[in-house]
mmCIF file of all heavy atoms in Angstrom:
data_model
loop_
_atom_site.group_PDB
_atom_site.id
_atom_site.type_symbol
_atom_site.label_atom_id
_atom_site.label_comp_id
_atom_site.label_asym_id
_atom_site.label_seq_id
_atom_site.Cartn_x
_atom_site.Cartn_y
_atom_site.Cartn_z
ATOM 1 N N GLU K 1 -3.713 8.324 -0.499
ATOM 2 C CA GLU K 1 -2.292 8.827 -0.385
ATOM 3 C C GLU K 1 -1.423 7.729 -0.020
ATOM 4 O O GLU K 1 -0.196 7.553 -0.500
ATOM 5 C CB GLU K 1 -2.261 10.013 0.573
ATOM 6 C CG GLU K 1 -2.932 11.251 0.089
ATOM 7 C CD GLU K 1 -2.948 12.282 1.205
ATOM 8 O OE1 GLU K 1 -3.267 11.974 2.344
ATOM 9 O OE2 GLU K 1 -2.651 13.494 0.867
ATOM 10 N N LEU K 2 -1.791 7.014 1.034
ATOM 11 C CA LEU K 2 -0.984 5.917 1.519
ATOM 12 C C LEU K 2 -0.577 4.871 0.525
ATOM 13 O O LEU K 2 0.573 4.488 0.312
ATOM 14 C CB LEU K 2 -1.654 5.213 2.729
ATOM 15 C CG LEU K 2 -0.957 3.986 3.419
ATOM 16 C CD1 LEU K 2 0.342 4.343 3.949
ATOM 17 C CD2 LEU K 2 -1.923 3.389 4.403
ATOM 18 N N ARG K 3 -1.636 4.425 -0.186
ATOM 19 C CA ARG K 3 -1.371 3.522 -1.343
ATOM 20 C C ARG K 3 -0.445 4.092 -2.366
ATOM 21 O O ARG K 3 0.433 3.387 -2.966
ATOM 22 C CB ARG K 3 -2.617 2.988 -1.999
ATOM 23 C CG ARG K 3 -3.485 2.142 -0.975
ATOM 24 C CD ARG K 3 -4.895 1.790 -1.508
ATOM 25 N NE ARG K 3 -4.789 0.929 -2.768
ATOM 26 C CZ ARG K 3 -4.561 -0.326 -2.738
ATOM 27 N NH1 ARG K 3 -4.500 -0.942 -1.562
ATOM 28 N NH2 ARG K 3 -4.386 -1.025 -3.878
ATOM 29 N N ASN K 4 -0.589 5.351 -2.719
ATOM 30 C CA ASN K 4 0.287 6.029 -3.731
ATOM 31 C C ASN K 4 1.700 6.090 -3.194
ATOM 32 O O ASN K 4 2.695 5.845 -3.907
ATOM 33 C CB ASN K 4 -0.183 7.398 -3.957
ATOM 34 C CG ASN K 4 -1.497 7.415 -4.933
ATOM 35 O OD1 ASN K 4 -1.785 6.353 -5.590
ATOM 36 N ND2 ASN K 4 -2.175 8.449 -4.891
ATOM 37 N N ARG K 5 1.928 6.515 -1.881
ATOM 38 C CA ARG K 5 3.286 6.574 -1.392
ATOM 39 C C ARG K 5 3.975 5.282 -1.350
ATOM 40 O O ARG K 5 5.097 5.064 -1.581
ATOM 41 C CB ARG K 5 3.279 7.148 0.086
ATOM 42 C CG ARG K 5 2.876 8.599 0.152
ATOM 43 C CD ARG K 5 4.119 9.619 -0.134
ATOM 44 N NE ARG K 5 5.071 9.522 0.968
ATOM 45 C CZ ARG K 5 5.002 10.096 2.145
ATOM 46 N NH1 ARG K 5 4.055 10.878 2.410
ATOM 47 N NH2 ARG K 5 6.050 9.904 3.024
ATOM 48 N N TRP K 6 3.061 4.200 -0.842
ATOM 49 C CA TRP K 6 3.575 2.873 -0.929
ATOM 50 C C TRP K 6 4.113 2.398 -2.267
ATOM 51 O O TRP K 6 5.180 1.790 -2.383
ATOM 52 C CB TRP K 6 2.521 1.924 -0.335
ATOM 53 C CG TRP K 6 2.957 0.524 0.102
ATOM 54 C CD1 TRP K 6 3.198 0.114 1.374
ATOM 55 C CD2 TRP K 6 3.110 -0.524 -0.786
ATOM 56 N NE1 TRP K 6 3.593 -1.165 1.355
ATOM 57 C CE2 TRP K 6 3.558 -1.696 0.084
ATOM 58 C CE3 TRP K 6 2.958 -0.851 -2.102
ATOM 59 C CZ2 TRP K 6 3.788 -2.928 -0.441
ATOM 60 C CZ3 TRP K 6 3.274 -2.173 -2.528
ATOM 61 C CH2 TRP K 6 3.700 -3.114 -1.716
ATOM 62 N N ALA K 7 3.247 2.668 -3.324
ATOM 63 C CA ALA K 7 3.570 2.329 -4.703
ATOM 64 C C ALA K 7 4.852 3.020 -5.027
ATOM 65 O O ALA K 7 5.809 2.365 -5.757
ATOM 66 C CB ALA K 7 2.546 2.668 -5.593
ATOM 67 N N GLN K 8 5.098 4.260 -4.773
ATOM 68 C CA GLN K 8 6.271 4.937 -5.059
ATOM 69 C C GLN K 8 7.591 4.329 -4.398
ATOM 70 O O GLN K 8 8.580 4.097 -5.086
ATOM 71 C CB GLN K 8 6.268 6.477 -4.659
ATOM 72 C CG GLN K 8 5.365 7.294 -5.580
ATOM 73 C CD GLN K 8 5.177 8.679 -5.026
ATOM 74 O OE1 GLN K 8 5.434 8.972 -3.787
ATOM 75 N NE2 GLN K 8 4.663 9.606 -5.892
ATOM 76 N N ALA K 9 7.361 4.090 -3.091
ATOM 77 C CA ALA K 9 8.500 3.546 -2.271
ATOM 78 C C ALA K 9 8.861 2.131 -2.802
ATOM 79 O O ALA K 9 10.137 1.863 -2.853
ATOM 80 C CB ALA K 9 8.122 3.522 -0.834
ATOM 81 N N TRP K 10 7.987 1.386 -3.043
ATOM 82 C CA TRP K 10 8.285 -0.112 -3.391
ATOM 83 C C TRP K 10 8.337 -0.243 -4.757
ATOM 84 O O TRP K 10 8.881 -1.418 -5.270
ATOM 85 C CB TRP K 10 7.311 -1.044 -2.726
ATOM 86 C CG TRP K 10 7.368 -1.187 -1.287
ATOM 87 C CD1 TRP K 10 6.719 -0.423 -0.444
ATOM 88 C CD2 TRP K 10 8.047 -2.120 -0.605
ATOM 89 N NE1 TRP K 10 7.091 -0.889 0.966
ATOM 90 C CE2 TRP K 10 7.942 -1.841 0.791
ATOM 91 C CE3 TRP K 10 8.976 -3.181 -0.976
ATOM 92 C CZ2 TRP K 10 8.612 -2.599 1.761
ATOM 93 C CZ3 TRP K 10 9.691 -3.901 0.077
ATOM 94 C CH2 TRP K 10 9.597 -3.635 1.337
ATOM 95 N N GLY K 11 7.818 0.550 -5.723
ATOM 96 C CA GLY K 11 7.961 0.447 -7.157
ATOM 97 C C GLY K 11 7.018 -0.535 -7.740
ATOM 98 O O GLY K 11 7.183 -1.157 -8.794
ATOM 99 N N LEU K 12 5.940 -0.853 -6.920
ATOM 100 C CA LEU K 12 4.827 -1.655 -7.442
ATOM 101 C C LEU K 12 3.552 -1.276 -6.748
ATOM 102 O O LEU K 12 3.604 -0.714 -5.610
ATOM 103 C CB LEU K 12 5.184 -3.207 -7.174
ATOM 104 C CG LEU K 12 5.661 -3.607 -5.824
ATOM 105 C CD1 LEU K 12 4.584 -4.485 -5.074
ATOM 106 C CD2 LEU K 12 6.919 -4.464 -6.021
ATOM 107 N N LYS K 13 2.474 -1.633 -7.346
ATOM 108 C CA LYS K 13 1.149 -1.448 -6.727
ATOM 109 C C LYS K 13 0.870 -2.382 -5.593
ATOM 110 O O LYS K 13 0.947 -3.462 -5.747
ATOM 111 C CB LYS K 13 0.054 -1.440 -7.751
ATOM 112 C CG LYS K 13 -0.102 -0.227 -8.617
ATOM 113 C CD LYS K 13 -1.501 -0.239 -9.168
ATOM 114 C CE LYS K 13 -1.891 1.125 -9.913
ATOM 115 N NZ LYS K 13 -1.582 2.223 -9.166
ATOM 116 N N PRO K 14 0.399 -1.754 -4.442
ATOM 117 C CA PRO K 14 -0.046 -2.685 -3.335
ATOM 118 C C PRO K 14 -1.313 -3.391 -3.767
ATOM 119 O O PRO K 14 -2.149 -2.971 -4.394
ATOM 120 C CB PRO K 14 -0.324 -1.764 -2.248
ATOM 121 C CG PRO K 14 -0.679 -0.414 -2.805
ATOM 122 C CD PRO K 14 0.056 -0.361 -4.122
ATOM 123 N N HIS K 15 -1.335 -4.681 -3.320
ATOM 124 C CA HIS K 15 -2.545 -5.482 -3.483
ATOM 125 C C HIS K 15 -3.726 -4.853 -2.995
ATOM 126 O O HIS K 15 -3.648 -4.281 -1.780
ATOM 127 C CB HIS K 15 -2.303 -6.856 -2.960
ATOM 128 C CG HIS K 15 -3.278 -7.944 -3.413
ATOM 129 N ND1 HIS K 15 -4.613 -8.000 -2.790
ATOM 130 C CD2 HIS K 15 -3.262 -8.884 -4.288
ATOM 131 C CE1 HIS K 15 -5.270 -8.888 -3.423
ATOM 132 N NE2 HIS K 15 -4.506 -9.479 -4.396
ATOM 133 N N LYS K 16 -4.930 -4.897 -3.451
ATOM 134 C CA LYS K 16 -6.033 -4.218 -3.101
ATOM 135 C C LYS K 16 -6.514 -4.708 -1.707
ATOM 136 O O LYS K 16 -7.242 -3.933 -1.033
ATOM 137 C CB LYS K 16 -7.184 -4.136 -4.017
ATOM 138 C CG LYS K 16 -7.763 -5.487 -4.352
ATOM 139 C CD LYS K 16 -8.882 -5.221 -5.501
ATOM 140 C CE LYS K 16 -9.483 -6.698 -5.825
ATOM 141 N NZ LYS K 16 -10.380 -6.522 -7.004
ATOM 142 N N TYR K 17 -6.132 -5.902 -1.315
ATOM 143 C CA TYR K 17 -6.642 -6.476 -0.029
ATOM 144 C C TYR K 17 -5.671 -6.287 1.175
ATOM 145 O O TYR K 17 -5.898 -6.812 2.186
ATOM 146 C CB TYR K 17 -7.126 -7.922 -0.222
ATOM 147 C CG TYR K 17 -8.205 -8.039 -1.062
ATOM 148 C CD1 TYR K 17 -8.185 -8.874 -2.199
ATOM 149 C CD2 TYR K 17 -9.430 -7.308 -0.737
ATOM 150 C CE1 TYR K 17 -9.311 -8.909 -3.163
ATOM 151 C CE2 TYR K 17 -10.533 -7.505 -1.637
ATOM 152 C CZ TYR K 17 -10.466 -8.284 -2.829
ATOM 153 O OH TYR K 17 -11.587 -8.414 -3.552
ATOM 154 N N ILE K 18 -4.469 -5.652 0.834
ATOM 155 C CA ILE K 18 -3.602 -5.442 1.962
ATOM 156 C C ILE K 18 -4.161 -4.435 3.041
ATOM 157 O O ILE K 18 -4.668 -3.356 2.582
ATOM 158 C CB ILE K 18 -2.213 -4.842 1.538
ATOM 159 C CG1 ILE K 18 -1.379 -5.898 0.671
ATOM 160 C CG2 ILE K 18 -1.265 -4.511 2.729
ATOM 161 C CD1 ILE K 18 -0.125 -5.357 0.111
ATOM 162 N N ARG K 19 -4.195 -4.730 4.193
ATOM 163 C CA ARG K 19 -4.735 -3.947 5.270
ATOM 164 C C ARG K 19 -4.017 -2.697 5.460
ATOM 165 O O ARG K 19 -2.746 -2.704 5.381
ATOM 166 C CB ARG K 19 -4.993 -4.695 6.569
ATOM 167 C CG ARG K 19 -5.897 -5.802 6.438
ATOM 168 C CD ARG K 19 -6.312 -6.331 7.800
ATOM 169 N NE ARG K 19 -7.401 -7.296 7.764
ATOM 170 C CZ ARG K 19 -7.774 -8.047 8.617
ATOM 171 N NH1 ARG K 19 -7.182 -7.966 9.803
ATOM 172 N NH2 ARG K 19 -8.802 -8.850 8.402
ATOM 173 N N ARG K 20 -4.611 -1.563 5.845
ATOM 174 C CA ARG K 20 -4.036 -0.307 6.100
ATOM 175 C C ARG K 20 -2.801 -0.506 7.055
ATOM 176 O O ARG K 20 -1.692 0.085 6.779
ATOM 177 C CB ARG K 20 -5.032 0.605 6.657
ATOM 178 C CG ARG K 20 -4.435 2.004 7.075
ATOM 179 C CD ARG K 20 -5.255 3.140 7.273
ATOM 180 N NE ARG K 20 -4.408 4.212 7.489
ATOM 181 C CZ ARG K 20 -4.331 5.313 6.669
ATOM 182 N NH1 ARG K 20 -5.315 5.426 5.746
ATOM 183 N NH2 ARG K 20 -3.480 6.258 6.923
ATOM 184 N N ASN K 21 -3.021 -1.333 8.202
ATOM 185 C CA ASN K 21 -1.947 -1.416 9.139
ATOM 186 C C ASN K 21 -0.706 -1.907 8.553
ATOM 187 O O ASN K 21 0.381 -1.498 8.782
ATOM 188 C CB ASN K 21 -2.442 -2.355 10.303
ATOM 189 C CG ASN K 21 -1.496 -2.377 11.401
ATOM 190 O OD1 ASN K 21 -0.878 -1.432 11.761
ATOM 191 N ND2 ASN K 21 -1.495 -3.646 11.972
ATOM 192 N N MET K 22 -0.850 -2.986 7.602
ATOM 193 C CA MET K 22 0.278 -3.577 7.011
ATOM 194 C C MET K 22 1.025 -2.616 6.038
ATOM 195 O O MET K 22 2.203 -2.556 5.945
ATOM 196 C CB MET K 22 -0.082 -4.841 6.318
ATOM 197 C CG MET K 22 0.988 -5.818 5.841
ATOM 198 S SD MET K 22 1.754 -6.424 7.260
ATOM 199 C CE MET K 22 3.469 -6.393 6.758
ATOM 200 N N LEU K 23 0.139 -1.825 5.335
ATOM 201 C CA LEU K 23 0.670 -0.782 4.361
ATOM 202 C C LEU K 23 1.484 0.182 5.250
ATOM 203 O O LEU K 23 2.593 0.521 4.783
ATOM 204 C CB LEU K 23 -0.410 -0.121 3.643
ATOM 205 C CG LEU K 23 -1.118 -0.803 2.563
ATOM 206 C CD1 LEU K 23 -2.372 -0.174 2.095
ATOM 207 C CD2 LEU K 23 -0.246 -1.077 1.359
ATOM 208 N N GLU K 24 1.018 0.609 6.340
ATOM 209 C CA GLU K 24 1.688 1.567 7.081
ATOM 210 C C GLU K 24 3.009 1.082 7.602
ATOM 211 O O GLU K 24 4.021 1.714 7.482
ATOM 212 C CB GLU K 24 0.831 2.029 8.307
ATOM 213 C CG GLU K 24 -0.447 2.932 8.061
ATOM 214 C CD GLU K 24 -1.166 3.264 9.241
ATOM 215 O OE1 GLU K 24 -0.854 2.890 10.351
ATOM 216 O OE2 GLU K 24 -2.230 3.984 9.022
#
């Protein structure tokens, strides 16, 4: 869910190695 919300907010897919803390 976090990765999906991030992608919606930023308009791009997060890199698969970005840590959860940085995504948050």
Side-chain angles (χ1 to χ4, degrees):
E1 287 173 319
L2 175 61
R3 290 176 64 83
N4 288 338
R5 289 278 294 278
W6 195 97
Q8 286 174 341
W10 287 91
L12 50 110
K13 276 200 171 313
H15 192 282
K16 66 182 176 187
Y17 294 122
I18 296 180
R19 292 192 173 167
R20 177 167 186 119
N21 187 38
M22 196 64 217
L23 287 169
E24 287 179 1

